[in-house]
């Protein structure tokens, strides 16, 4: 979600006021474009000949296009391509004089100018060109990895959001949909993968093969995919569709869970959307390596995913990894409809893709794996979006995007998690059946076309037969987080009435006048049915049965913070243990954020933690552990003050770990398995000597007893050992990384080398990151891991070695990568450093990520100075 400045697109918006037949709806007619509207493509015939060893490729493309208005030139997107020739023919096969080709690197375009204007009509533009194969996930790129049989190299493509132009001269914008036929000349022993099945494979005289894939459906350029390497492919049937998992050779069994899951997910989606998946096959392609920008990509029929997000290696994978693999598959498969079949017209409405897929993945995981109890995960995900959304640097869900860099930065928690939270809230407001009916009609009406958000809202409103548009607009067109302040409850004749006032939760604009939202609110008193209202014009009253405890945002489907009066909150604390787990989570996250903001006592969150019984829901304890970890981090370098907090936190978490134990028990809940790792990690961060000693004991014993470290705890135990490593232990882990031949495990070991508390060892990890040893796509992650404990060190190192680091970071991520390293700093000087980086390296229009990190650092410093004394006082009274 990042992009470097040297590729900046600074063109003014060229959206035409006139209707042109190139675009079939108002959504695409008015879409932002950075290309002239005079020409549109309808089909691409592409031929690629990659040279993996030389990291180059030769390409040919014949583009069938329509000239819509008389024009002397055709402008399309192209970047880092070298053109050999171009020729144009019309529908009668008349050849035109070879055009003059002008490349504009700043705008990432190529213009083909002819000696006379082209009349409206159908043409074919044939281009021969050459390009580069990169080592980061942009365009066509190579991944090198180790195996027991030696080093291997595989090729893959990543085109979202604007990198198809690195491989194919094309109209590389989502509204320009076309069909694609791809062929590739490849080594005979290697497998080629694309969106469609192979239609023909022919042996060539030189020992290579020519592979031709079937024609794709009409789609956007960013969804095209090509992969090549020594692969295995396991398949299964899901109705009319062949579902596959593609892995490096020998790793297919690690994809068995996702293959089985994909069959079930596809069946569920065919039913939910009421439009059968339209392609003949759907592959999940697992790749070694990694990216700072993404973990998976929804290419139509050929989902690309890094191994760490989809494969389950029995030597290292955990229950959390299993749940993540299912969620990632469910997310990317939801895109096959929301994003691929129906695509946003421009990146302004990216949330239509990502917010919906995030919500759909959560819904599907809850439906198909109720034993995971993942419905509760919606609360911390929503909270993460609110943390970002409460800063002045936030943006609306539907945002105005003008450049490639801004499009890259749009892939954030507002687009994903806030988008999903808004959908969850609106589904709750209109009802699940009406929501599904609206979604089905939306997909049916816009299949193979492009849309804007209002296209969805109109269908939902029609299906629901109740007003939706105003609420949807408030939560997608306005930035920020509503806050509902709850007046003191009054009970008369067995009914409780609450006065609700809508304000705004903001962390860095205390004098800001609140925006106005129409907020759907659910209120429930214990033992009674929930009541619903909409807070409009800033105020509302609601009455519920009973005179007992009343919870606002019951079920936690609303996207807002809830602030209670002190007396009401005291009542909640007294009954906290008896509340539904999802409401416990919501109260905990709200009180934590409101406490940090000074809107209620900071110690309230500690009171809730103190009131939580040992046997409470594992996900609640996982959230409490996360809060303790955050407080501990704020106490960094405070000596005795930090020790006082650690003593309290360890005392609260130790009985919970004793309950779940270090060893898995037969039949235990999956949530217990995840909590075990979370508790061990947090107690390690709190410097709990008992936990650290036990992890070290198991690590030492594992050299002679493989059972000393169960696979489910391998990452966790090694993480504790690495965090508290001395030089000798660090060297042992380094030796293990050098010897490891499994990429999934090897990558984890290099991350562990970067996670040490010892600053001198962290410096060694930073130096190691810029060598060839970790692998081209691991280096940036190593620096990021160092930044978790040493933000100032990691940021200064990356800036000092920017040229080298740039070669290790995918281009899409760069503008946000460097500021992200500084996010954990508590040094006011870092604000100046990040601002200096942004001013020197980023276009003014593309500094949002840097500005956000500056705001976060300033807020952390404020919280440390103003809120920790409250916690000190609370701890002193215990």
């Amino acid at each position: 979600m990042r992009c470097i400045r040297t590729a900046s697109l600074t063109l003014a918006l060229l959206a035409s006021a006139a209707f042109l037949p190139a675009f079939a709806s108002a959504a695409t007619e008015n879409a932002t474009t950075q290309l002239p509207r005079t020409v549109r493509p309808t089909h691409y015939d592409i031929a690629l000949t990659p040279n993996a060893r030389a990291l180059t490729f030769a390409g040919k493309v014949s583009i069938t296009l329509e000239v819509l208005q008389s024009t002397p030139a055709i402008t399309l997107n192209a970047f880092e391509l070298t053109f050999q020739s171009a020729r144009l023919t019309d529908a009668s096969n008349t050849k035109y004089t070879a055009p003059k080709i002008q490349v504009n690197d700043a705008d990432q375009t190529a213009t083909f100018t002819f000696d006379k204007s082209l009349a409206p009509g159908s043409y074919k533009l044939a281009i021969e060109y050459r390009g580069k194969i990169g080592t980061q996930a942009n365009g066509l790129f190579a991944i090198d990895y180790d195996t027991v049989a030696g080093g291997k190299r595989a090729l893959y493509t990543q085109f979202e959001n604007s990198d198809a132009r690195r491989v194919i001269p094309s109209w590389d914008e989502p509204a320009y949909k076309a069909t694609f036929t791809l062929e590739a000349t490849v080594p005979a022993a290697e497998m080629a993968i694309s969106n469609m099945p192979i239609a023909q494979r022919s042996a060539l005289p030189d020992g290579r093969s020519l592979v031709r894939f079937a024609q794709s459906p009409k789609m956007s350029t960013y969804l095209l995919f090509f992969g090549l390497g020594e692969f295995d492919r396991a398949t299964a049937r899901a109705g009319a569709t062949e579902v596959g998992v593609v892995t490096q050779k020998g790793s297919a069994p690690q994809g068995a869970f996702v293959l089985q899951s994909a069959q079930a997910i596809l069946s569920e989606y065919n039913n939910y959307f009421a439009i059968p998946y339209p392609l003949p096959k759907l592959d999940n392609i697992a790749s070694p390596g990694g990216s700072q920008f993404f973990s998976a990509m929804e290419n139509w029929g050929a989902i690309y995913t890094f191994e760490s997000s989809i494969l389950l290696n029995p030597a290292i994978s955990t229950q959390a990894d299993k749940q993540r693999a299912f969620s990632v598959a469910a997310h990317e498969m939801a895109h096959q409809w929301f994003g691929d079949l129906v695509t946003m017209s421009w990146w302004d409405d990216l949330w239509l893709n990502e917010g919906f897929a995030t919500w759909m993945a959560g819904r599907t995981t809850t439906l198909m794996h109720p034993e995971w109890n993942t419905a509760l995960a919606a609360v911390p995900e929503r909270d993460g979006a609110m943390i970002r959304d409460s800063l002045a640097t936030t943006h609306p869900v539907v945002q105005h995007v003008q450049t490639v860099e801004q499009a890259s930065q749009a892939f954030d928690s507002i687009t994903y998690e806030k988008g999903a939270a808004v959908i969850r809230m609106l589904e709750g407001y209109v009802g699940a059946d009406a929501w599904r009916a609206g979604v089905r009609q939306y997909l049916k009406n816009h299949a193979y076309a492009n849309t804007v958000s209002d296209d969805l809202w109109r269908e939902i409103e029609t299906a629901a037969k109740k007003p939706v548009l105003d609420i949807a607009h408030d939560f997608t067109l306005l930035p920020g987080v509503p806050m509902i302040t709850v007046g003191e409850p009054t009970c008369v004749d067995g009914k409780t009435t609450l006065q609700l006032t809508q304000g705004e939760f903001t962390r860095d604009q205390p004098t800001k006048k609140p925006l106005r939202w129409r907020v759907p609110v659910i209120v429930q008193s214990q033992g009674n049915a929930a009541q619903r209202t909409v807070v409009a014009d800033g105020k509302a009253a609601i009455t519920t049965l009973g005179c007992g405890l009343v919870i606002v945002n019951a079920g936690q489907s609303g996207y807002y913070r809830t602030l209670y009066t002190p007396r009401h909150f005291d009542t909640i604390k007294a009954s906290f243990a008896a509340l539904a787990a999802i409401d416990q989570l919501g109260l905990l996250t709200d009180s934590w954020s409101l406490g940090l903001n000074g809107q209620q006592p900071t110690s309230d969150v500690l009171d809730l933690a103190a009131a939580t019984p040992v046997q409470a829901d594992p996900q609640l304890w996982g959230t409490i552990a996360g809060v303790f970890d955050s407080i501990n981090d704020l106490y960094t370098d405070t000596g005795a003050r930090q020790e006082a907090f650690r003593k309290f936190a360890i005392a609260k978490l130790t009985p919970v770990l004793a309950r779940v134990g270090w060893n898995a028990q037969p039949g235990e809940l999956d949530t217990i398995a995840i909590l075990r790792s979370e508790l061990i990690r947090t107690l390690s961060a709190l410097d709990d000597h008992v936990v650290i000693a036990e992890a070290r004991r198991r690590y030492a014993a594992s050299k002679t007893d493989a059972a000393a470290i169960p696979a489910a705890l391998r990452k966790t135990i090694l993480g504790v050992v690495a965090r508290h490593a001395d030089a000798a232990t660090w060297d042992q882990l380094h030796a293990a990384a050098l010897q490891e031949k499994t990429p999934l495990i090897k990558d984890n070991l290099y991350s562990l080398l970067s996670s040490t508390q010892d600053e001198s060892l962290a410096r060694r990890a930073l130096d190691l990151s810029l060598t060839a040893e970790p692998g081209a796509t691991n280096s940036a992650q190593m620096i990021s891991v160092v930044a978790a404990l040493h933000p100032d060190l990691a940021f200064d190192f990356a800036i000092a070695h920017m040229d080298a680091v740039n070669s290790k970071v995918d281009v899409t991520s760069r503008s946000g990568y460097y500021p992200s390293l500084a996010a954990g700093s508590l040094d006011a000087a870092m604000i100046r450093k990040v601002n200096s980086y942004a001013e020197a390296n980023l276009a003014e229009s593309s500094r949002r990520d840097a500005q956000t990190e500056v705001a976060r650092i300033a807020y952390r410093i404020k919280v440390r100075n103003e809120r920790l004394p409250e916690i000190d006082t609370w701890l002193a009274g215990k």
Side-chain angles (χ1 to χ4, degrees):
M1 59 187 88
R2 312 288 192 261
C3 195
I4 190 172
R5 259 358 12 88
T6 54
S8 176
L9 289 175
T10 56
L11 293 177
L13 302 185
L14 299 175
S16 172
F19 176 82
L20 296 175
F23 298 91
S25 70
T28 47
E29 172 197 351
N30 296 315
T32 299
T33 180
Q34 292 158 333
L35 295 170
R37 282 280 175 82
T38 53
V39 180
R40 70 154 180 171
T42 59
H43 179 74
Y44 296 83
D45 283 303
I46 305 161
L48 298 177
T49 304
N51 185 333
R53 177 174 295 182
L55 292 179
T56 60
F57 68 91
K60 298 179 182 180
V61 62
S62 176
I63 309 171
T64 304
L65 54 86
E66 294 180 12
V67 173
L68 305 166
Q69 291 181 339
S70 180
T71 178
I74 296 173
T75 298
L76 44 67
N77 292 116
F79 189 56
E80 295 188 338
L81 300 177
T82 303
F83 294 96
Q84 271 73 56
S85 67
R87 65 183 186 279
L88 185 75
T89 57
D90 61 19
S92 62
N93 208 32
T94 300
K95 296 181 180 179
Y96 288 70
T97 303
K100 177 183 176 182
I101 305 173
Q102 184 176 9
V103 174
N104 187 324
D105 288 336
D107 294 341
Q108 299 184 3
T109 60
T111 298
F112 300 80
T113 303
F114 299 89
D115 57 3
K116 62 179 180 179
S117 288
L118 306 177
S122 180
Y123 297 82
K124 284 191 177 181
L125 178 63
I127 307 168
E128 294 190 21
Y129 60 97
R130 297 186 183 277
K132 302 173 184 177
I133 298 174
T135 57
Q136 302 298 325
N138 301 101
L140 179 60
F141 64 98
I143 293 285
D144 293 338
Y145 58 98
D146 287 335
T147 71
V148 292
K152 303 292 181 181
R153 172 170 287 177
L155 303 182
Y156 306 95
T157 57
Q158 166 61 15
F159 288 166
E160 191 180 34
N161 44 275
S162 306
D163 283 325
R165 63 193 66 180
R166 294 174 180 269
V167 182
I168 308 153
S170 56
W171 280 258
D172 192 20
E173 295 180 353
Y176 289 100
K177 286 194 169 187
T179 54
F180 297 81
T181 301
L182 173 65
E183 69 176 32
T185 301
V186 302
E190 295 188 6
M191 181 185 296
I193 301 288
S194 190
N195 307 77
M196 298 294 288
I198 292 175
Q200 182 179 1
R201 185 175 183 122
S202 307
L204 298 176
D206 62 3
R208 295 181 295 173
S209 293
L210 179 64
V211 178
R212 176 180 289 272
F213 298 94
Q215 180 174 304
S216 78
K218 189 178 179 182
M219 65 184 190
S220 304
T221 50
Y222 78 89
L223 297 170
L224 189 64
F225 177 80
F226 174 69
L228 177 66
E230 296 184 20
F231 301 147
D232 283 337
R233 181 171 183 259
T235 63
R237 299 298 302 184
T241 307
E242 182 180 77
V243 179
V245 172
V246 179
T247 68
Q248 58 169 291
K249 276 195 172 295
S251 295
Q254 298 175 28
F257 172 71
V258 165
L259 181 60
Q260 181 184 26
S261 298
Q263 290 177 277
I265 294 168
L266 194 62
S267 176
E268 167 60 22
Y269 286 177
N270 284 337
N271 174 64
Y272 185 88
F273 296 126
I275 296 176
Y277 175 75
L279 278 66
K281 66 97 175 175
L282 176 56
D283 283 320
N284 277 285
I285 298 140
S287 161
S291 165
Q292 297 299 299
F293 181 61
F294 73 107
S295 61
M297 173 59 205
E298 66 267 19
N299 312 297
W300 212 357
I303 297 167
Y304 175 77
T305 312
F306 289 109
E307 289 181 347
S308 57
S309 294
I310 199 170
L311 297 189
L312 300 179
N313 186 317
I316 195 171
S317 296
T318 66
Q319 177 62 31
D321 292 330
K322 186 176 185 179
Q323 293 182 196
R324 174 171 168 75
F326 185 93
S327 178
V328 168
H331 179 108
E332 303 306 328
M333 290 175 68
H335 275 309
Q336 306 300 295
W337 286 263
F338 252 83
D340 298 2
L341 178 67
V342 179
T343 311
M344 79 265 140
S345 293
W346 182 247
W347 304 105
D348 291 16
D349 288 285
L350 175 63
W351 89 279
L352 277 176
N353 290 13
E354 300 301 349
F356 193 93
T358 301
W359 170 79
M360 194 69 181
R363 174 198 173 275
T364 304
T365 306
T366 298
L367 176 70
M368 302 183 74
H369 285 285
E371 74 278 10
W372 293 348
N373 199 19
T374 52
L376 272 62
V379 176
E381 289 170 1
R382 178 195 67 189
D383 190 62
M386 287 181 174
I387 290 170
R388 170 68 181 86
D389 203 18
S390 55
L391 294 172
T393 57
T394 189
H395 60 83
V397 170
V398 178
Q399 56 190 303
H400 189 43
V401 172
Q402 291 180 277
T403 68
V404 165
E405 290 84 353
Q406 290 176 358
S408 298
Q409 291 179 352
F411 292 79
D412 65 5
S413 61
I414 305 299
T415 297
Y416 284 73
E417 282 76 27
K418 182 176 180 179
V422 169
I423 290 173
R424 190 177 301 110
M425 179 175 65
L426 291 173
E427 185 201 29
Y429 173 66
V430 305
D433 291 342
W435 178 264
R436 181 175 61 181
V439 166
R440 286 176 170 180
Q441 196 62 43
Y442 165 81
L443 291 173
K444 180 180 178 181
N445 290 349
H446 300 284
Y448 304 100
N450 299 82
T451 62
V452 295
S453 295
D454 276 2
D455 294 320
L456 174 62
W457 301 141
R458 280 191 289 268
E459 301 299 347
I460 298 295
E461 192 163 78
T462 299
K465 297 181 175 59
K466 63 191 299 187
V468 173
L469 195 62
D470 288 342
I471 297 173
H473 279 174
D474 287 352
F475 280 89
T476 59
L477 301 182
L478 296 177
V481 183
M483 182 171 69
I484 300 298
T485 299
V486 183
E488 196 67 37
T490 59
C491 190
V492 178
D493 297 330
K495 295 181 180 180
T496 299
T497 299
L498 297 175
Q499 300 296 325
L500 307 177
T501 304
Q502 181 253 300
E504 183 173 354
F505 174 75
T506 173
R507 294 194 290 156
D508 58 353
Q509 300 179 89
T511 61
K512 181 179 186 290
K513 181 181 179 180
L515 297 175
R516 281 282 176 256
W517 293 264
R518 279 150 283 208
V519 184
V521 172
I522 300 175
V523 171
Q524 187 169 23
S525 61
Q526 286 181 306
N528 294 291
Q531 303 296 315
R532 289 171 166 80
T533 190
V534 175
V535 179
D537 298 322
K539 291 185 178 181
I542 188 167
T543 299
T544 183
L545 293 174
C547 292
L549 175 65
V550 181
I551 297 296
V552 176
N553 203 8
Q556 302 302 309
S557 63
Y559 186 82
Y560 54 87
R561 295 277 186 216
T562 304
L563 178 62
Y564 296 94
T565 64
R567 189 166 71 173
H568 194 166
F569 194 80
D570 285 343
T571 304
I572 290 172
K573 284 192 289 189
S575 301
F576 186 69
L579 298 178
I582 197 164
D583 289 326
Q584 290 175 322
L585 278 169
L587 287 160
L588 190 79
T589 55
D590 274 349
S591 64
W592 173 228
S593 288
L594 291 164
L596 292 180
N597 222 31
Q599 291 168 289
Q600 68 183 72
T602 310
S603 57
D604 276 352
V605 72
L606 301 180
D607 284 332
L608 293 182
T612 303
V614 170
Q615 66 272 20
D617 189 280
Q619 293 179 78
L620 178 61
W621 274 116
T623 301
I624 291 171
V627 169
F628 287 176
D629 196 20
S630 296
I631 296 174
N632 179 57
D633 184 51
L634 290 169
Y635 270 116
T636 298
D637 296 329
T638 61
R641 296 172 67 200
Q642 184 177 45
E643 289 304 315
F645 171 72
R646 286 178 169 180
K647 181 179 178 181
F648 161 77
I650 291 169
K652 286 302 300 179
L653 297 180
T654 297
V656 186
L657 180 57
R659 174 176 169 252
V660 304
W662 279 74
N663 299 313
Q665 300 301 311
E668 74 177 12
L669 296 174
D670 294 325
T671 50
I672 291 290
I674 294 173
L675 177 61
R676 177 179 294 112
S677 289
E678 290 174 335
L679 291 171
I680 293 170
R681 279 195 295 267
T682 301
L683 286 164
S684 166
L686 294 167
D687 273 352
D688 180 1
H689 300 301
V690 174
V691 163
I692 296 167
E694 177 63 9
R696 285 172 169 166
R697 184 193 69 77
R698 288 173 176 257
Y699 174 65
S702 69
K703 295 176 174 58
T704 55
D705 178 11
I709 302 182
L713 278 182
R714 181 174 180 178
K715 288 181 183 176
T716 305
I717 290 174
L718 290 181
V720 176
V721 170
R723 181 178 183 124
H724 301 280
D726 56 16
T729 304
W730 196 92
D731 287 339
Q732 290 175 15
L733 292 170
H734 188 197
L738 287 168
Q739 295 168 8
E740 183 59 55
K741 300 302 180 184
T742 302
L744 197 61
I745 299 175
K746 190 182 189 76
D747 295 352
N748 183 62
L749 288 168
Y750 279 104
S751 288
L752 290 172
L753 289 170
S754 309
S755 65
T756 176
Q757 286 183 163
D758 186 294
E759 185 172 319
S760 64
L761 296 177
R763 291 182 184 277
R764 288 180 63 183
L766 289 172
D767 291 338
L768 180 61
S769 73
L770 295 187
T771 70
E773 181 187 313
T777 64
N778 286 327
S779 298
Q781 180 64 18
M782 289 182 69
I783 300 171
S784 293
V785 173
V786 170
L789 293 179
H790 308 279
D792 303 87
L793 174 66
F795 180 85
D796 290 346
F797 175 87
I799 295 298
H801 300 84
M802 188 178 292
D803 288 343
V805 173
N806 278 345
S807 70
K808 308 291 187 180
V809 180
D810 42 313
V811 170
T812 329
S813 300
R814 289 183 191 167
S815 67
Y817 176 76
Y818 292 93
S820 73
L821 299 176
S825 178
L826 287 163
D827 184 356
M830 184 56 71
I831 293 174
R832 175 185 54 78
K833 291 181 182 180
V834 174
N835 282 330
S836 295
Y837 159 77
E839 290 166 6
N841 295 279
L842 308 181
E844 188 173 354
S845 61
S846 300
R847 295 176 185 171
R848 187 169 69 198
D849 285 346
Q851 292 163 349
T852 297
E853 299 305 349
V854 163
R856 284 175 170 157
I857 294 166
Y859 188 71
R860 280 169 54 82
I861 294 170
K862 177 183 177 181
V863 166
R864 177 185 171 101
N865 293 338
E866 297 180 7
R867 305 296 167 225
L868 288 191
E870 293 182 32
I871 296 179
D872 293 337
T873 300
W874 186 90
L875 291 169
K878 292 298 172 182

